[in-house]
Amino acid sequence: WIDSLCIIQDSREDWKMEAATMWEVYSNSYLNISATASTNSAEGLFRERLPHTAKPCRVNVGSTHPHVPSGNYTLYDDQEWLRDVENAPINTRAWVCQERQLSPRIIHYSKDQLFWECNELRASEAFPQGLPARYGFGVKRNLIRSLPSTNPRKLLEIWHSIVSTCTSSDLTYTSDKLTAISALARQV
């Protein structure tokens, strides 16, 4: 479901009708495919990339190294998730807040590799069993799924985080701000 294809772009009436149900599309989807590295709809999903960027770098350090204990090591950029997913161009858009919070599973087409995000796992082509624990993660996803049932203070903290993320994001029309966050408010 692509909003620019599923909503008649010059029709305010069609937009009102469709925007009110977008949350249902994301919530009831099996998988959301995200053009995460794209800055606009013309850029699409696919990019030229170097094959080695989707493979972890493994290094064997011998016993004669003066500073590093001998052994096999996997080298990786622990800021990759933050840079290529959390802070990617698509995630600056307010409507994407709704997608990321409500979609049960997302495949992110980033600039260098595919990333997987669901309620239980974040993974990549380099780390298909799950990203290393040292990876930096933001708070832009799973906030609604972590809502407490009885702790009002925690609920307010989560709601504040959702509102901060969504209201600091970009909208083509600022008048859409309340509509964009209303489905998330309904879930909370």
Side-chain angles (χ1 to χ4, degrees):
W1 191 84
I2 302 170
D3 65 349
S4 62
L5 299 177
C6 296
I7 299 175
I8 300 168
Q9 295 299 296
D10 296 331
S11 170
R12 193 71 182 155
E13 184 178 305
D14 191 57
W15 182 89
K16 281 182 180 180
M17 185 176 72
E18 296 296 333
T21 64
M22 284 192 329
W23 71 273
E24 292 179 84
V25 172
Y26 301 128
S27 295
N28 294 307
S29 70
Y30 184 79
L31 173 69
N32 187 45
I33 299 171
S34 177
T36 305
S38 297
T39 57
N40 61 54
S41 60
E43 290 183 12
L45 292 173
F46 308 110
R47 296 189 155 43
E48 292 283 327
R49 61 185 188 156
L50 301 172
H52 72 274
T53 60
K55 296 179 182 168
C57 177
R58 306 214 192 273
V59 177
N60 181 293
V61 176
S63 59
T64 59
H65 195 283
H67 303 290
V68 179
S70 64
N72 294 315
Y73 294 89
T74 301
L75 305 178
Y76 58 87
D77 177 1
D78 65 354
Q79 296 300 299
E80 184 176 47
W81 177 269
L82 288 172
R83 182 186 61 247
D84 294 346
V85 177
E86 294 292 337
N87 299 320
I90 200 167
N91 289 320
T92 64
R93 307 291 301 159
W95 284 106
V96 175
C97 292
Q98 197 178 94
E99 286 182 52
R100 286 199 69 207
Q101 288 295 318
L102 300 175
S103 298
R105 293 161 207 86
I106 303 171
I107 292 179
H108 295 279
Y109 279 74
S110 80
K111 65 184 184 80
D112 292 323
Q113 65 177 308
L114 298 178
F115 286 91
W116 171 264
E117 182 178 30
C118 69
N119 297 333
E120 297 180 19
L121 180 72
R122 289 180 176 129
S124 67
E125 289 177 270
F127 296 101
Q129 301 304 314
L131 298 175
R134 291 182 144 182
Y135 255 59
F137 296 110
V139 294
K140 294 183 180 177
R141 175 151 165 91
N142 291 338
L143 293 171
I144 287 180
R145 285 166 179 77
S146 65
L147 288 173
S149 58
T150 57
N151 185 338
R153 181 175 209 82
K154 185 68 176 167
L155 175 65
L156 286 174
E157 288 173 20
I158 291 170
W159 177 242
H160 180 265
S161 186
I162 290 170
V163 170
S164 295
T165 299
C166 293
T167 57
S168 65
S169 299
D170 299 329
L171 282 166
T172 304
Y173 302 104
T174 55
S175 59
D176 292 352
K177 201 165 276 204
L178 286 176
T179 306
I181 201 167
S182 67
L184 297 174
R186 186 179 304 114
Q187 295 297 312
V188 172

